[in-house]
Amino acid sequence: MTQPRGSAAKSAALSAALSGAVDLSALKARAESAQRQPAPPAGPAGGDGPPPPAPGSSEAVIDVTEATFQAEVVERSLRQLVIVDLWAEWCGPCKQLSPVLERMAAESGGAWVVAKVDVDANPRIAQLFGAQSIPTIVAIGAGQPVDAFSGALPEPEIRKWINALLEALRDKLPAIREAEANGGGPVEEPEDPRFTEAEEAFERGDFAAAQAAYERILDVEPANELAKNALAQVKFTARAENADPEARAKADADPSDLAAQLDAADLEIAENNVEAGFKRLIDTVRRTAGDDRNKVREHLVALFDLFDPADDRVMKARRDLASALF
């Protein structure tokens, strides 16, 4: 089957880039050097603000700079999970995502904290993590990046991601164990009955009911990525199961048989022969024009939605489609 575009899929490329590739030592060295410089004079009546919280404190949200990165991210991550939130004041999605992270961190009982980094004021931290866009969220545990994602995901996806990290790091980070002992730590998101209805319909093979259920969610929440991705999967599965099993033979025998080409591509995608399915439709785009070409293009773009946009196969197919069209 195809690979759904969940939060794990969306973060796969960024996580792979981080895994074993991010060296924190350079930024740590700069931070340590900055910390060795003489402290600036205090304001009137010593009003230079409270000192930053010590590593391992239970404060849920911390503002981090290059000068405090060593203590507040690297050293703190030896005790508790640190979620680095790369944001900027002008970033609209950041204003949606950051409050969710901050609230969840406060609910964790000290198992993890949010380290907020203003990328405009601290560009070298963003460069360290290779952030191509914001918001970018990087999980740091035991002194190393362990996972990441970019973009504003729905809260249920974020909660599942955080809980998976806490589970993976439980034996390494004492703050997670302490939080769990005190009733904090992972908190499962209550099941959404709307999704339950859709999933049950899908499992019993009632694709029309599943599609209708997801469309009702999107009528109320047009930006709900979980529902969008699930709806794409439902539509594809319904098509693939109803496709003519002889479609590939018919399509190969008669390249002008448009219905056979579309069915054959669906069957190839369902069998995970993704490149072949994409190529078939791109070749069909090259041979067609007008409404027929547009129909094939729309079918292909819908197939792209089944995968992570960063999937190499999708990126290549998009380039090939553009070449075929223009």
Side-chain angles (χ1 to χ4, degrees):
M1 262 305 294
T2 57
Q3 300 169 354
R5 284 177 52 203
S7 60
K10 289 180 181 178
S11 66
L14 180 55
S15 299
L18 286 173
S19 179
V22 172
D23 181 4
L24 302 181
S25 60
L27 188 55
K28 286 162 59 178
R30 285 195 293 269
E32 290 167 346
S33 175
Q35 288 175 326
R36 287 195 293 269
Q37 300 300 316
D48 55 346
S57 80
S58 61
E59 184 171 343
V61 183
I62 308 149
D63 289 317
V64 173
T65 66
E66 291 178 15
T68 62
F69 183 88
Q70 164 73 11
E72 295 292 21
V73 174
V74 181
E75 292 178 10
R76 184 183 291 269
S77 76
L78 301 176
R79 172 174 172 76
Q80 63 191 146
L81 174 64
V82 178
I83 301 298
V84 178
D85 177 7
L86 301 173
W87 70 283
E89 184 62 38
W90 47 264
C91 170
C94 298
K95 295 176 182 177
Q96 300 173 12
L97 178 62
S98 294
V100 173
L101 289 171
E102 293 166 16
R103 173 170 50 79
M104 290 173 58
E107 294 169 355
S108 77
W112 60 282
V113 296
V114 176
K116 295 176 63 64
V117 177
D118 182 341
V119 298
D120 288 337
N122 303 278
R124 284 185 289 190
I125 297 180
Q127 292 167 10
L128 170 75
F129 292 119
Q132 300 296 313
S133 62
I134 55 172
T136 287
I137 308 301
V138 184
I140 310 292
Q144 291 296 325
V146 291
D147 205 354
F149 68 85
S150 59
L153 300 182
E155 182 172 342
E157 287 195 49
I158 298 171
R159 193 174 294 275
K160 289 178 182 178
W161 182 70
I162 292 288
N163 285 345
L165 291 170
L166 294 175
E167 176 70 24
L169 294 169
R170 176 183 287 115
D171 294 337
K172 295 182 178 180
L173 305 182
I176 297 175
R177 298 192 297 272
E178 292 170 9
E180 290 179 340
N182 294 324
V187 178
E188 291 296 336
E189 182 75 9
E191 288 192 7
D192 187 328
R194 302 172 302 169
F195 280 90
T196 302
E197 175 192 358
E199 290 162 4
E200 289 177 350
F202 182 82
E203 288 172 4
R204 64 176 182 267
D206 190 345
F207 302 127
Q211 178 174 334
Y214 285 123
E215 287 174 343
R216 284 194 294 273
I217 296 171
L218 291 169
D219 286 342
V220 179
E221 302 175 32
N224 191 310
E225 290 294 327
L226 282 175
K228 285 181 182 178
N229 298 339
L231 179 59
Q233 288 286 333
V234 168
K235 288 181 175 180
F236 170 76
T237 304
R239 286 203 319 267
E241 290 211 354
N242 291 317
D244 180 355
E246 301 300 321
R248 272 174 291 194
K250 293 178 180 178
D252 292 343
D254 183 4
S256 67
D257 187 339
L258 203 65
Q261 299 297 340
L262 299 182
D263 278 357
D266 283 348
L267 291 172
E268 286 163 338
I269 297 293
E271 294 170 358
N272 208 29
N273 195 359
V274 177
E275 294 93 336
F278 288 167
K279 182 179 185 302
R280 178 182 296 277
L281 294 185
I282 291 166
D283 289 344
T284 306
V285 165
R286 290 193 172 99
R287 293 193 300 267
T288 53
D291 290 343
D292 284 350
R293 169 181 276 201
N294 193 51
K295 183 176 181 179
V296 178
R297 180 192 64 79
E298 289 179 351
H299 194 99
L300 179 57
V301 170
L303 291 177
F304 291 160
D305 288 341
L306 299 171
F307 300 87
D308 189 289
D311 189 307
D312 289 341
R313 298 166 298 184
V314 173
M315 295 173 68
K316 180 181 185 302
R318 286 191 183 278
R319 293 193 297 270
D320 292 344
L321 175 60
S323 175
L325 288 171
F326 305 109

